[in-house]
Amino acid sequence: MSYQRRKEFLVFGAPKIEQAEIDEVVATLKSGWLGTGPKTARFEGMFQEYIGTKHALAVSSCTAGLHIAMIAAGIGSGDEVITTPLTFAATANAILHAGAQPVFADVEPGTLNLDPAQVERRISPRTKAVIPVHLYGRPCAMSALLEIAERHKLMVLEDAAHAIEAQYHGRKIGAMGLAGCFSFYVTKNVVTGEGGMVVTDDPEMANRIKILSLHGLSADAWKRYSDFGYRHYEVVFPGFKSNMTDIQASLGLHQLARVEKNLQRREEIWARYEAALADLPMDLPPPPEPDTRHARHLYAPLLKLDRIGMTRDEFMHKLQAENIGSGVHFVSLHLQKYYRETFGYQPQDFPVACEASQRTVSLPLSARLSDEDADDVIRAVRHILGA
Ligand SMILES: *Cc1c(COP(=O)(O)O)cnc(C)c1O
């Protein structure tokens, strides 16, 4: 087979938006109610039913959700929160926003998820909570993490930004701790432009999150201009501006309705990559652990750098030259300027996360991809690696 470079650039992480979303947004614009309102409430109800928790609170982003969930849980100054360094900056930034200290624990080789044994080593008298991040959509070792949390009286807040569809031993990811936070950012499995959701079974948490997300106004203040007639509110806390709007929810309603169908499509692309890349000098993502469901958010093999004679960044530049977009998830936070300088981390403080930071590359994985798109990715990768 002679190699042919792809003609149009394949955008990494492009979302699949259909006519139903477009029509719903237009209808919302014409309704005159653009802010938090009935569509946000409907989206919350739909999400709450999908995850199976008692409450779901729509917010402006997963970052905002993590931040206010920690404030609602009483986490603040003097507290420590343990999380993985191999995550997006938002996870640790939100801990700092809440006034607490992030404490990193290294990840397991293979799954690249938080290593329970490393978490246990980092617990101090100030530790208040653990934030597992279900990296790429793969559920963390929740049995071990929940057991450690219970023994040390720690709260568990899940960063489920990658893991809307994920399950662990028959339970939904995001619903396993005190609260779980989801992201609807443009590259995520459900997209509202910007947006997020916090789920919890705890009515007090739900009430506080609702209030904190809208200036600290007493509950249901968003109804103040509705057809119920004008309602007065009280400011019960100096809250935040982290509410979702009905424009965002308009997208979410239809995106969530197709969440399982889109997962199926990503599973097909995943299987296609797996079959076609197995003989190359890269470690492919391991299969999901028994009795778990992987949400297939990111397909991120680890390059065998010593075998391919180039760095990960050189590999990405070559992919770009073949008109294939790719991503890095992630460069470990302990290697990032702020965290490195503030906390004095050395690269080898978290050796597994450090190595993954240099070797990981995410190939396009969106329900929007056709078989031909996936085959273009495969051909380009094989071409670059000389196969
Ligand atoms: C995307 C992401 C977030 C932040 O989500 P936003 O909705 O963009 O705030 C948090 N954690 C992880 C692991 C992410 O990938």
Side-chain angles (χ1 to χ4, degrees):
M1 182 173 67
S2 75
Y3 178 73
Q4 277 249 304
R5 178 173 173 273
R6 184 185 161 92
K7 294 212 167 52
E8 261 175 47
F9 186 69
L10 184 62
V11 176
F12 179 85
K16 188 162 196 245
I17 303 294
E18 295 193 8
Q19 194 58 42
E21 283 92 311
I22 294 167
D23 293 344
E24 191 80 43
V25 169
V26 171
T28 301
L29 295 176
K30 288 179 174 168
S31 77
W33 191 292
L34 310 192
T36 304
K39 288 190 185 176
T40 303
R42 248 173 69 206
F43 183 41
E44 288 176 331
M46 209 174 150
F47 201 86
Q48 177 249 323
E49 196 161 300
Y50 179 70
I51 300 294
T53 45
K54 295 205 176 82
H55 308 275
L57 299 313
V59 286
S60 54
S61 68
C62 181
T63 309
L66 286 163
H67 174 210
I68 60 180
M70 277 185 270
I71 305 239
I75 294 168
S77 176
D79 297 335
E80 293 176 356
V81 178
I82 299 176
T83 193
T84 166
L86 198 62
T87 182
F88 187 54
T91 317
N93 288 352
I95 296 170
L96 288 161
H97 297 164
Q101 291 292 306
V103 172
F104 295 131
D106 207 357
V107 296
E108 307 168 321
T111 70
L112 301 183
N113 271 331
L114 206 46
D115 182 340
Q118 294 296 330
V119 169
E120 188 139 33
R121 286 188 47 205
R122 306 278 163 184
I123 294 171
S124 85
R126 301 159 87 101
T127 310
K128 279 283 161 56
V130 182
I131 303 185
V133 178
H134 307 285
L135 194 70
Y136 309 150
R138 178 187 303 275
C140 290
M142 290 307 288
S143 295
L145 290 172
L146 289 171
E147 187 274 321
I148 291 167
E150 190 172 341
R151 197 150 34 81
H152 294 272
K153 307 262 178 291
L154 308 178
M155 294 180 272
V156 173
L157 301 166
E158 292 176 84
D159 180 337
H162 296 184
I164 293 179
E165 310 91 333
Q167 293 176 22
Y168 183 86
H169 299 182
R171 295 172 65 188
K172 289 289 291 178
I173 285 300
M176 300 194 71
L178 178 61
C181 300
F182 296 87
S183 172
F184 310 131
Y185 176 66
V186 292
T187 58
K188 300 284 161 63
N189 291 356
V190 164
V191 166
T192 63
E194 295 282 2
M197 193 75 77
V198 186
V199 300
T200 181
D201 280 328
D202 184 316
E204 260 305 300
M205 277 289 285
N207 191 43
R208 286 191 209 130
I209 289 164
K210 187 90 208 162
I211 290 170
L212 286 169
S213 72
L214 192 62
H215 306 295
L217 309 187
S218 48
D220 283 349
W222 62 267
K223 288 182 180 160
R224 66 194 184 276
Y225 300 117
S226 75
D227 53 8
F228 295 103
Y230 188 83
R231 295 187 170 193
H232 283 283
Y233 54 80
E234 282 209 289
V235 181
V236 297
F237 189 86
F240 306 94
K241 190 67 201 290
S242 308
N243 54 309
M244 179 179 278
T245 70
D246 272 21
I247 302 175
Q248 293 166 301
S250 302
L251 289 157
L253 287 168
H254 298 281
Q255 286 272 303
L256 188 57
R258 283 197 305 273
V259 67
E260 289 291 321
K261 191 173 147 216
N262 287 345
L263 170 62
Q264 232 172 50
R265 180 59 194 146
R266 293 196 310 279
E267 281 172 340
E268 288 167 12
I269 298 163
W270 187 291
R272 215 174 176 89
Y273 284 160
E274 195 153 59
L277 304 175
D279 60 321
L280 297 181
M282 44 170 68
D283 292 321
L284 300 189
E289 286 59 47
D291 201 14
T292 68
R293 186 194 208 201
H294 194 303
R296 316 284 180 182
H297 174 52
L298 290 165
Y299 190 84
L302 300 176
L303 298 169
K304 291 185 177 165
L305 300 177
D306 45 349
R307 297 243 328 255
I308 67 175
M310 64 183 108
T311 65
R312 182 266 323 282
D313 290 358
E314 284 163 357
F315 177 81
M316 289 177 74
H317 286 135
K318 287 182 193 230
L319 266 183
Q320 178 92 14
E322 302 300 330
N323 264 338
I324 307 288
S326 60
V328 175
H329 302 88
F330 296 93
V331 172
S332 184
L333 293 180
H334 80 286
L335 303 171
Q336 304 279 0
K337 181 178 166 69
Y338 174 82
Y339 288 93
R340 191 177 69 221
E341 291 179 359
T342 306
F343 299 98
Y345 291 127
Q346 298 299 315
Q348 284 311 307
D349 288 348
F350 307 98
V352 185
C354 183
E355 191 190 317
S357 303
Q358 292 162 346
R359 294 179 57 201
T360 187
V361 59
S362 303
L363 302 179
L365 179 69
S366 156
R368 183 176 162 134
L369 298 191
S370 66
D371 287 351
E372 291 69 39
D373 293 331
D375 288 344
D376 285 344
V377 175
I378 290 165
R379 269 194 294 270
V381 170
R382 295 193 68 83
H383 178 70
I384 293 165
L385 296 181

